[in-house]
Amino acid sequence: VVAATNRTQAALLVARQKALATGHPVTVCPSPDSRRCGFGGGQWMIFENLPGGLDAVREAGESVLQQWQLPAGILADGTRGYAAYQPTTRSASTLTFRFCHRTHPQLSRSVIVSQTGRARITRPNPASGLPVRGCEQ
């Protein structure tokens, strides 16, 4: 879970920097087929959007900048199926990617992206008394 959240946080930083450097939107997302964004598999990617492209679909001519696989047993879900960075500061959408282990849901962690595009990692607080949410998928 730690490796998955750290890898995703690093990818979000790369995407933010790449969008600002190139002037093109850049998307980070899970992808079942290296083309569409969506939860359901362990494959993730970063791709650069060309003008007129959709944030959640890698279209012909759009380069995959990075791809990685989640570690075995790790599941991901979230409030949105992708993080899209625009080529200006303060132009991201808030979202949360949550990672958990199939057999140890108490070890879950989340990567939270603010509207400025900065990502941070959080863990459930056992002292809060709130129940730990199980892994879905």
Side-chain angles (χ1 to χ4, degrees):
V1 174
V2 170
T5 54
N6 288 346
R7 177 66 182 92
T8 303
Q9 183 182 36
L12 292 163
L13 177 61
V14 166
R16 184 177 189 227
Q17 291 171 339
K18 185 77 171 174
L20 291 171
T22 64
H24 296 287
V26 176
T27 297
V28 176
C29 67
S31 177
D33 60 8
S34 297
R35 186 172 126 49
R36 297 173 290 115
C37 293
F39 294 105
Q43 182 75 25
W44 284 65
M45 68 178 171
I46 302 173
F47 66 94
E48 187 174 15
N49 291 311
L50 297 176
L54 300 173
D55 288 341
V57 177
R58 186 177 66 83
E59 298 167 78
E62 294 180 337
S63 300
V64 173
L65 304 173
Q66 291 181 18
Q67 285 186 300
W68 68 99
Q69 184 74 31
L70 293 180
I74 302 299
L75 299 175
D77 65 12
T79 58
R80 169 179 250 181
Y82 64 93
Y85 285 91
Q86 301 303 317
T88 58
T89 57
R90 300 181 190 257
S91 63
S93 296
T94 58
L95 66 101
T96 300
F97 290 132
R98 189 174 79 90
F99 299 88
C100 67
H101 192 278
R102 289 180 199 274
T103 57
H104 303 287
Q106 71 278 10
L107 300 177
S108 71
R109 290 177 178 232
S110 296
V111 178
I112 300 171
V113 180
S114 72
Q115 196 164 16
T116 63
R118 295 184 195 274
R120 64 184 172 89
I121 296 173
T122 64
R123 299 188 298 216
N125 181 356
S128 71
L130 297 173
V132 175
R133 197 172 111 201
C135 292
E136 287 90 35
Q137 281 187 358

